[in-house]
Amino acid sequence: MIERLRATALLGTSREPVPQIHTSTGLDPVLTSISADDRERELLLTAGALAVWQRAGYRAAPAPAPDQAPADTLPGCGDELTEILKQMLRRSNRELVVRRLLDREAPGARTGLSADHGDLLPEALALLRTRGLRLRYHLLPDVLPARTEALRAALRPVIGQRGRWLAGFNPTWVWATDSLPAYAEWLWQNDKAGHRVDLLASQRRYDPAGARARLETRVATDRSEVGLTLLDALEIGLSPDDESFLEGVLDTRSPAVRRRTARLLAKLLPSACAQRLHERADTMLVKTTRAFRRQKVQATLPGALDPTWQREGLEPHGDLPGIDAPGCWLIHTVGLVPVRHWIDRFEMPLEALTDGLEGDRVLEVLEAWTQAAVLHGEQELLPALWDAWWQQRMKPMRSADLLVTMWSDLAGAMEPSALGERLARLLDDPPEPETTCGRVLAAVAWPWPESAGDAFLRILQEVVRPLAVGTAPPSAWKHVLMPGARGIPARCIEPALVMLSGLPSLEAPLDQWQQVLDLATEKLRIRQQFNQELGR
Amino acid sequence: MILTSDQIQRLAPDAQVLAAGQKLGNPVQWQEPGRSDTVVWGECRGRALYKVGIDLGAMAYTCSCPSRKRPCKHVVGLLTLSIEHDSMLRDATLPEWVAAWVTRRETRAQRAEVDPSGESLPRPPASPQQERRADVQRTRVLEGVDALELWMCDLVRNGLATVEGQAPTFWQHQAARLVDAGAPGLASRVRRLSTIPGSSPQWPERLLGELGRIELLIEAYRRVDDLDPFLQHDVQMQIGRRLTKEEVSSAGEHVTDEWVTLGEVVEQDEQLRVQRTWLCGLRTGRSALILQFVVGTATAFPWVANLNHVQEMELHFWPSTWPQRALIAHRFGQAVYSADRRPGYATIEAMLTDVAQGLAANPWIDRCFAVLHDVVPIRHGEDDWSLRDRTGVTLPLQRRTHWRMLAQSGGGPIDVHGEWNGTVFQSFAFRTAETGA
């Protein structure tokens, strides 16, 4: 009713008269009785009476009943563990911090704890899963903004029916849905912060053909729409049914998109693209036999790019930093062909192949084989490739990060039994530069193999012993303490804490060690807490 | 008494004290930590040995350190210790220095306490000088009120379109004049007007409505002597008159009940921080508002409520046609945590009927506390949420996300505690049948 005074209020009583208001209620006598000596007071008193009348007469609007969440079959985790998780997630009650906590790639944010410890979440969640428990409902809004695929994978089994139901209301949580949410079309048409990719990835899990059809429709109208991240979503549930669509994407303009598409097609053995890649790769590596029947493998690369190769994303000028164009062609081609192909073709075991590499392309071939073995899941070949890089570790490389990247990729895919002894060797004899070991260990998922845990305890002993008498241990080990505190198997936590608790307070110049040791101790204590809680 | 880390966070005056205090929650920092029924104490090793005592019942504390921040990091440290290393605190009799502190507090409290019979303490009759001062004060307020009315009339004569885009000083200047005139309550209302222009498409109506309510208040103040005695109190309170504790106890209602603390909100008003804490009487079903004010950000509120704790207390309400504000006159026994269901409204309509009765008695009530039973949170859009009751009608929630509420309700009925301000329901907490508060 007060809306009828809007024009007078906005333009002023000097330009607009005060309208007479009739409500046909008991308020009318009140309004009629307002007799002010000027129009301004009359307007104000009328507005005041109407404002109170409207406030007192507020009518609640009807709305249909909402859908209820399906019942959960898994029980919620206990109070103590919930409190630990809550502290990890909400220590600072700021959403931004929570998001950073959930995102391992984001820089650490200050919380009540000395550090985020978000890297411990995968372990806590994995323990929940193995005990057949789910997260308590009130923690769901803290975990559903998770952004990394590693964390999402750990969360999916423990968010329960309620988590999946809740995700159906929030387009930014679409990754957690297990059926097409009501907002799917809106989200697909109005891309918001990349969540369209999440929708596609999510749909690939329960309806791969539907998701591909969604992408096909988009491509039909606008080919430039096929971005790298959308293609990555197709990797989920990849099947021969996707081949024809992906072959079409090879005609797109962006070389990066074509390379990523070729990578997907390479996994679809025996696709036409995979066949082309095999044939091309065969021209790039040759076996020669030297004196005393020594067999060598060498790269033989063309000086100019065959134009037909560009369809798979190869570029005349190369695209990788620190490497010439033919080197790039080799990595992008041989890196998509299973390593088993070379073992069969040259009739040599992998160890002999890596030992027999010669020429100026040894590291490029090794890089390509490492990529290929990881891509095709050739588990049994990974240890030999790790060892080959170990042999090469002292050589100058095209990038300071190459060794770390290769070992990290291998560590992420290798069987624990094979990985353990190699991590132990890395710990016992850390390569230069001193950060290498820590960076590789940081990429190793929890839990570390048992033998790596034992090696860490040996290193910790070597760290604690000199510090106890006021001398500094080798600084390379400073970088392995945090990854170790996160990754060592549960049985190693208690011995590690015992060693750390025996240290006196460290003063300059050892105070930097104190900081690292405090953080490592905090991390181990948190792990001990939730291992004890879930071990009960 | 159950303390939580959230409560410690609320108690700490700033993040620095909180972080330093949490570090002091380590047992190695403490010498002889102990506890009795309601008091914890200890000596903290720092540059010196600081004696720290905390009365958990009244949330009062003492520390011998020289810090000007209250509570200091040592108090936060002892609270952290009592939560995280409960077993380190030995049950013991109060050491001498703690007993002396407790006695001093009790003596002070008795001195400040009102007569338990509810009668006002005898006050000497007003002297002619005091009466003259009161007359001068009344005249000043009336002059301030007249100036405000003139200013508002100018606004509506020239049109409210002219105020959109005005700098905050436009409103602050007028508010400052009201403070000088001895009408801080009106000044606060005028300051709040500055947030309306441009805030929504309906801002002209909202601003006109608020100006109208102020005009009603001015009109009522001019005729205050003709009003019902309780409405006189309401009007004078809205203008900004302050009552002493004795005046409250003498003129207001006394209610003894098991009071549970259900909500708390802190707002900034110029230099002041204002904390509203809502209590609910379990036997009477009444709600009571405890208001606290502190200046600046480095000071904590004198009383920290323990949410969801129940304690038998005698409250004295400010005299009013619709009593809301109260002070705690007496506490009996200890505060005990409770997750039981709170008294509340079965339907939104029942709450709105009560609100209408409150507004009929006192048209300047800005907000009412309510516990809504069996409502379901509904999301309509990004920040657009509402609560739906069993009859199918909805009440809009404040514009922010309510994911935690939706997560716990699962689309089923829950109880929600909060404030209704005539436009939106500001939720403080909720309770599910499964999890309790």
Side-chain angles (χ1 to χ4, degrees):
Chain A
M1 202 56 79
I2 200 167
E3 299 77 27
R4 293 179 54 193
L5 299 176
R6 183 186 171 100
T8 314
L10 275 173
L11 295 173
T13 50
S14 60
R15 295 187 190 89
E16 280 283 319
V18 180
Q20 294 299 309
I21 307 280
H22 296 286
T23 63
S24 305
T25 69
L27 183 68
D28 286 346
V30 177
L31 296 177
T32 316
S33 70
I34 293 172
S35 58
D37 39 11
D38 55 52
R39 282 185 294 176
E40 290 74 36
R41 286 191 64 235
E42 185 188 340
L43 175 65
L44 286 169
L45 287 170
T46 305
L50 281 171
V52 176
W53 177 74
Q54 282 194 340
R55 186 179 275 233
Y58 184 94
R59 306 299 300 178
D67 291 336
Q68 289 210 13
D72 263 303
T73 48
L74 297 177
C77 62
D79 289 343
E80 296 286 337
L81 185 69
T82 300
E83 188 57 29
I84 297 168
L85 287 166
K86 194 171 102 178
Q87 294 294 322
M88 287 166 70
L89 292 164
R90 278 193 227 160
R91 198 71 184 196
S92 144
N93 289 335
R94 293 203 312 267
E95 203 179 352
L96 179 66
V97 173
V98 170
R99 286 205 178 127
R100 282 182 179 166
L101 223 161
L102 290 164
D103 190 349
R104 285 170 55 183
E105 278 123 34
R110 295 298 301 171
T111 63
L113 293 169
S114 307
D116 288 335
H117 302 303
D119 54 351
L120 301 185
L121 276 172
E123 177 180 6
L125 300 173
L127 287 170
L128 277 188
R129 191 190 64 223
T130 53
R131 301 289 188 284
L133 299 172
R134 60 161 171 80
L135 286 167
R136 295 274 278 272
Y137 298 145
H138 62 96
L139 290 180
L140 292 172
D142 294 314
V143 299
L144 286 172
R147 279 184 291 176
T148 61
E149 185 44 45
L151 191 52
R152 289 174 175 182
L155 281 167
R156 273 189 196 97
V158 295
I159 57 172
Q161 292 283 6
R162 183 70 59 91
R164 287 182 275 281
W165 173 83
L166 194 63
F169 291 94
N170 189 335
T172 65
W173 299 343
V174 66
W175 66 267
T177 53
D178 61 354
S179 59
L180 213 55
Y183 54 70
E185 280 314 308
W186 174 87
L187 182 64
W188 186 247
Q189 298 302 333
N190 306 280
D191 182 13
K192 203 176 174 193
H195 296 298
R196 205 164 52 176
V197 179
D198 289 342
L199 170 66
L200 200 65
S202 175
Q203 194 177 356
R204 283 289 282 187
R205 285 176 212 289
Y206 50 79
D207 177 17
R212 187 183 60 247
R214 190 181 284 282
L215 195 56
E216 273 173 332
T217 316
R218 194 83 182 191
V219 173
T221 53
D222 185 358
R223 194 173 287 274
S224 65
E225 276 294 316
V226 188
L228 291 177
T229 45
L230 283 176
L231 278 176
D232 282 346
L234 283 193
E235 197 158 356
I236 300 163
L238 188 68
S239 74
D241 295 342
D242 298 318
E243 185 181 352
S244 119
F245 167 69
L246 288 171
E247 270 291 337
V249 178
L250 283 178
D251 296 325
T252 200
R253 200 152 32 154
S254 158
V257 169
R258 296 200 302 270
R259 277 197 297 279
R260 197 67 67 92
T261 308
R263 187 175 178 279
L264 289 172
L265 284 165
K267 289 180 83 171
L268 286 178
L269 293 170
S271 66
C273 177
Q275 189 57 38
R276 290 196 298 275
L277 289 167
H278 275 65
E279 287 164 9
R280 193 173 305 154
D282 286 347
T283 67
M284 292 180 169
L285 291 182
V286 292
K287 184 176 86 169
T288 52
T289 305
R290 299 282 167 78
F292 306 109
R293 302 176 71 184
R294 280 182 302 137
Q295 295 183 316
K296 296 287 176 188
V297 175
Q298 237 182 348
T300 54
L301 299 174
L305 181 69
D306 182 337
T308 59
W309 294 6
Q310 291 188 31
R311 193 153 182 266
E312 280 78 30
L314 302 192
E315 294 176 82
H317 305 295
D319 60 293
L320 298 172
I323 193 165
D324 61 2
C328 294
W329 306 334
L330 181 137
I331 289 173
H332 290 318
T333 307
V334 177
L336 299 180
V337 176
V339 179
R340 176 64 56 194
H341 169 77
W342 304 107
I343 295 171
D344 296 342
R345 180 174 168 81
F346 295 145
E347 296 177 322
M348 291 166 71
L350 182 56
E351 289 77 2
L353 281 174
T354 55
D355 285 347
L357 280 173
E358 66 171 16
D360 52 1
R361 301 283 180 189
V362 171
L363 291 178
E364 282 96 323
V365 176
L366 210 46
E367 186 176 344
W369 281 349
T370 304
Q371 286 183 6
V374 172
L375 178 72
H376 294 287
E378 297 174 293
Q379 289 273 350
E380 73 289 359
L381 303 179
L382 302 181
L385 287 163
W386 178 292
D387 296 342
W389 283 106
W390 183 261
Q391 300 293 333
Q392 304 288 340
R393 70 190 186 283
M394 311 299 276
K395 290 191 179 163
M397 302 204 179
R398 70 174 173 91
S399 142
D401 290 337
L402 183 61
L403 193 57
V404 173
T405 309
M406 292 296 107
W407 272 336
S408 300
D409 288 353
L410 289 166
M414 214 184 280
E415 291 282 354
S417 54
L419 179 62
E421 60 183 275
R422 283 164 180 83
L423 288 182
R425 189 169 63 192
L426 197 64
L427 279 161
D428 289 335
D429 183 12
E432 291 291 330
E434 66 175 35
T435 53
T436 303
C437 185
R439 290 175 62 197
V440 174
L441 293 174
V444 178
W446 166 88
W448 286 10
E450 297 288 330
S451 50
D454 292 332
F456 177 80
L457 290 179
R458 280 199 305 277
I459 298 304
L460 194 58
Q461 189 69 56
E462 295 300 313
V463 169
V464 167
R465 199 179 297 144
L467 285 174
V469 293
T471 54
S475 59
W477 290 336
K478 202 183 285 177
H479 305 283
V480 307
L481 288 179
M482 299 307 287
R486 172 188 60 83
I488 55 172
R491 73 163 174 85
C492 297
I493 294 175
E494 183 65 30
L497 279 171
V498 169
M499 276 189 240
L500 289 165
S501 64
L503 270 179
S505 187
L506 302 174
E507 288 170 7
L510 300 175
D511 48 349
Q512 279 191 338
W513 277 97
Q514 181 76 65
Q515 224 174 347
V516 179
L517 291 169
D518 282 350
L519 281 178
T521 306
E522 193 169 281
K523 216 174 262 302
L524 287 165
R525 285 218 176 103
I526 294 172
R527 290 188 59 199
Q528 188 183 40
Q529 252 181 309
F530 58 64
N531 272 283
Q532 280 170 356
E533 280 306 318
L534 284 166
R536 280 178 190 172
Chain B
M1 173 71 57
I2 296 174
L3 270 174
T4 65
S5 50
D6 284 351
Q7 280 173 303
I8 297 180
Q9 283 191 13
R10 290 207 316 274
L11 183 72
D14 57 40
Q16 215 179 350
V17 170
L18 178 66
Q22 283 175 334
K23 276 191 182 162
L24 289 178
N26 189 333
V28 296
Q29 301 283 348
W30 294 88
Q31 196 168 299
E32 302 291 319
R35 69 170 161 214
S36 71
D37 285 349
T38 56
V39 183
V40 292
W41 64 86
E43 296 180 33
C44 185
R45 293 191 193 93
R47 288 189 183 151
L49 201 58
Y50 299 118
K51 290 182 160 69
V52 190
I54 304 170
D55 181 341
L56 294 172
M59 258 305 156
Y61 42 81
T62 179
C63 179
S64 60
C65 79
S67 171
R68 276 179 295 179
K69 291 185 177 174
R70 283 289 179 258
C72 62
K73 62 182 178 183
H74 307 106
V75 172
V76 175
L78 183 57
L79 284 171
T80 309
L81 183 80
S82 68
I83 290 178
E84 293 181 4
H85 304 279
D86 183 39
S87 57
M88 295 299 298
L89 300 171
R90 287 182 298 105
D91 287 319
T93 50
L94 303 185
E96 220 168 275
W97 62 271
V98 181
W101 171 65
V102 169
T103 310
R104 273 201 308 278
R105 283 198 63 248
E106 283 171 358
T107 314
R108 259 205 315 271
Q110 278 164 6
R111 240 185 276 143
E113 233 168 45
V114 291
D115 182 353
S117 67
E119 300 285 326
S120 63
L121 294 173
R123 300 183 70 193
S127 67
Q129 257 183 336
Q130 281 173 323
E131 279 183 4
R132 247 196 327 276
R133 268 206 301 274
D135 280 344
V136 170
Q137 170 69 10
R138 265 194 295 273
T139 311
R140 268 178 57 215
V141 172
L142 278 170
E143 282 170 3
V145 158
D146 287 345
L148 172 65
E149 187 180 55
L150 201 62
W151 179 75
M152 292 198 307
C153 285
D154 278 348
L155 278 186
V156 294
R157 185 178 305 112
N158 297 323
L160 296 182
T162 59
V163 304
E164 195 178 15
Q166 286 281 9
T169 49
F170 174 76
W171 310 92
Q172 285 162 4
H173 178 66
Q174 193 59 36
R177 289 176 65 180
L178 286 163
V179 171
D180 292 344
L186 264 182
S188 180
R189 279 190 180 272
V190 170
R191 263 196 303 274
R192 289 204 298 268
L193 295 178
S194 69
T195 61
I196 301 177
S199 61
S200 71
Q202 293 77 35
W203 74 262
E205 295 92 304
R206 278 188 58 211
L207 182 60
L208 182 66
E210 287 308 309
L211 288 169
R213 289 176 77 208
I214 293 176
E215 180 62 26
L216 288 181
L217 186 56
I218 291 172
E219 193 68 20
Y221 186 66
R222 287 192 180 122
R223 294 189 293 164
V224 71
D225 293 336
D226 303 334
L227 302 176
D228 163 90
F230 280 120
L231 192 57
Q232 283 185 26
H233 279 293
D234 285 329
V235 170
Q236 284 169 336
M237 282 274 295
Q238 291 294 333
I239 294 290
R241 185 187 166 201
R242 295 194 176 98
L243 296 185
T244 62
K245 284 185 178 179
E246 289 80 11
E247 286 170 324
V248 171
S249 298
S250 142
E253 193 182 357
H254 298 189
V255 180
T256 302
D257 198 346
E258 280 186 290
W259 294 96
V260 56
T261 313
L262 288 186
E264 189 176 82
V265 61
V266 178
E267 283 175 357
Q268 194 78 29
D269 186 7
E270 288 274 276
Q271 305 298 317
L272 277 182
R273 269 193 309 144
V274 186
Q275 178 171 284
R276 296 195 300 274
T277 307
W278 289 98
L279 310 179
C280 178
L282 295 183
R283 293 194 295 270
T284 58
R286 288 185 63 160
S287 58
L289 170 65
I290 309 292
L291 274 181
Q292 297 185 91
F293 306 89
V294 291
V295 179
T297 53
T299 319
F301 291 99
W303 177 62
V304 177
N306 289 315
L307 290 176
N308 295 309
H309 278 65
V310 182
Q311 188 169 19
E312 182 84 10
M313 292 190 284
E314 180 181 317
L315 302 192
H316 294 181
F317 282 85
W318 259 249
S320 168
T321 50
W322 193 260
Q324 283 189 312
R325 190 178 172 190
L327 60 84
I328 300 172
H330 299 286
R331 289 188 177 87
F332 308 101
Q334 283 190 40
V336 181
Y337 178 80
S338 160
D340 293 345
R341 194 176 205 196
R342 321 299 184 199
Y345 295 103
T347 64
I348 288 172
E349 198 52 48
M351 184 205 83
L352 291 173
T353 303
D354 252 12
V355 171
Q357 283 172 2
L359 284 166
N362 175 1
W364 300 283
I365 290 174
D366 287 318
R367 51 184 74 85
C368 295
F369 180 79
V371 176
L372 294 173
H373 281 175
D374 299 327
V375 286
V376 181
I378 303 180
R379 181 174 184 265
H380 307 283
E382 188 106 345
D383 284 342
D384 187 6
W385 295 69
S386 66
L387 292 172
R388 181 184 187 273
D389 72 3
R390 62 176 72 164
T391 67
V393 297
T394 59
L395 212 53
L397 277 164
Q398 76 265 40
R399 290 192 79 83
R400 64 174 175 82
T401 59
H402 298 273
W403 291 114
R404 214 174 300 287
M405 194 192 286
L406 186 62
Q408 287 204 251
S409 84
I414 56 172
D415 294 352
V416 183
H417 316 155
E419 282 177 348
W420 170 247
N421 69 5
T423 314
V424 292
F425 192 84
Q426 181 173 3
S427 64
F428 294 149
F430 53 88
R431 179 188 183 283
T432 62
E434 188 186 48
T435 58

